[in-house]
């Protein structure tokens, strides 16, 4: 029986092809990891720029909606996104409404208009985070009523 000769061109071509595939695969997964890191950073920045606020009403006869920033006590109005409000678990609830004393996180471009009261424009997402206690709600209601007298 004759021994077959090794086809060196085939062996070298196969090794080069395998090396090229391994190299392409490693660059692909490196790019995927970098993109995932960029997305995580953007989400963290988006979360950091969100405003935590409490939803309140003001006015004697016609109740008007107002939000009070939980950190700065700054008051502003904003519209609820058309998509709806997200609940605590991050599930979108279409047609949901806020009740006085609801604490929410408001996501958007963080720009307030010069209106009185200021209006938070371009709200992209709103998420209910909790409910205020009666004591907290009373404190914010007092703040809102004091400021509302100046607006009217």
């Amino acid at each position: 029986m004759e021994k077959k000769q090794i086809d060196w061109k085939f062996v070298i071509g196969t090794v080069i092809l395998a090396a090229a595939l391994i190299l392409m695969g490693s660059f692909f997964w490196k790019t995927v990891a970098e993109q995932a890191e960029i997305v995580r950073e953007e989400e963290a920045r988006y979360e950091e720029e969100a405003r935590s606020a409490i939803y309140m009403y003001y006015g004697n006869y016609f109740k008007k909606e107002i939000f009070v920033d939980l950190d700065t006590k700054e008051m502003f109005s904003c519209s609820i996104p058309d998509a709806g409000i997200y609940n605590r678990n991050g599930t979108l609830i279409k047609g949901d409404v806020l009740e006085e004393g609801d604490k929410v996180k408001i996501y958007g471009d963080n720009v307030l208009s010069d209106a009185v009261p200021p209006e938070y424009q371009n709200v992209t997402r709103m998420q209910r985070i909790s409910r205020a206690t009666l004591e907290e709600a009373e404190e914010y209601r007092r703040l809102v009523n004091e400021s509302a007298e100046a607006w009217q």
Side-chain angles (χ1 to χ4, degrees):
M1 200 179 239
E2 265 185 60
K3 193 173 181 182
K4 285 192 175 181
Q5 291 228 345
I6 298 175
D7 186 2
W8 288 107
K9 289 180 182 176
F10 178 75
V11 171
I12 292 171
T14 304
V15 168
I16 290 173
L17 180 62
L21 289 174
I22 290 170
L23 192 62
M24 285 178 9
S26 66
F27 279 123
F28 171 77
W29 288 112
K30 182 181 177 201
T31 304
V32 167
E34 288 172 353
Q35 289 297 320
E37 182 61 29
I38 290 170
V39 168
R40 277 193 294 276
E41 288 172 1
E42 286 177 1
E43 287 175 351
R45 183 185 50 79
Y46 188 64
E47 188 68 31
E48 186 179 304
E49 290 177 355
R51 282 183 176 233
S52 296
I54 186 168
Y55 179 77
M56 302 299 289
Y57 291 112
Y58 73 94
N60 294 331
Y61 301 108
F62 299 106
K63 300 289 184 186
K64 296 179 184 173
E65 303 169 335
I66 192 82
F67 292 87
V68 182
D69 191 303
L70 294 173
D71 299 324
T72 64
K73 306 286 191 260
E74 182 179 20
M75 291 174 222
F76 58 91
S77 64
C78 74
S79 57
I80 296 171
D82 293 334
I85 301 169
Y86 289 82
N87 66 10
R88 294 178 193 137
N89 301 326
T91 305
L92 181 64
I93 310 294
K94 288 187 177 260
D96 197 7
V97 294
L98 293 174
E99 296 176 9
E100 189 172 33
D102 281 345
K103 291 182 181 178
V104 295
K105 254 196 173 171
I106 303 170
Y107 301 86
D109 60 9
N110 222 358
V111 175
L112 291 173
S113 71
D114 292 334
V116 176
E119 184 178 352
Y120 190 128
Q121 299 174 338
N122 302 325
V123 174
T124 56
R125 180 178 176 184
M126 190 176 290
Q127 181 175 3
R128 181 180 286 114
I129 52 176
S130 68
R131 184 100 177 108
T133 64
L134 288 173
E135 294 81 23
E136 283 179 309
E138 277 302 315
E139 174 190 342
Y140 285 102
R141 188 172 296 118
R142 194 171 5 87
L143 270 169
V144 167
N145 288 338
E146 289 171 4
S147 295
E149 289 174 8
W151 296 333
Q152 295 176 354

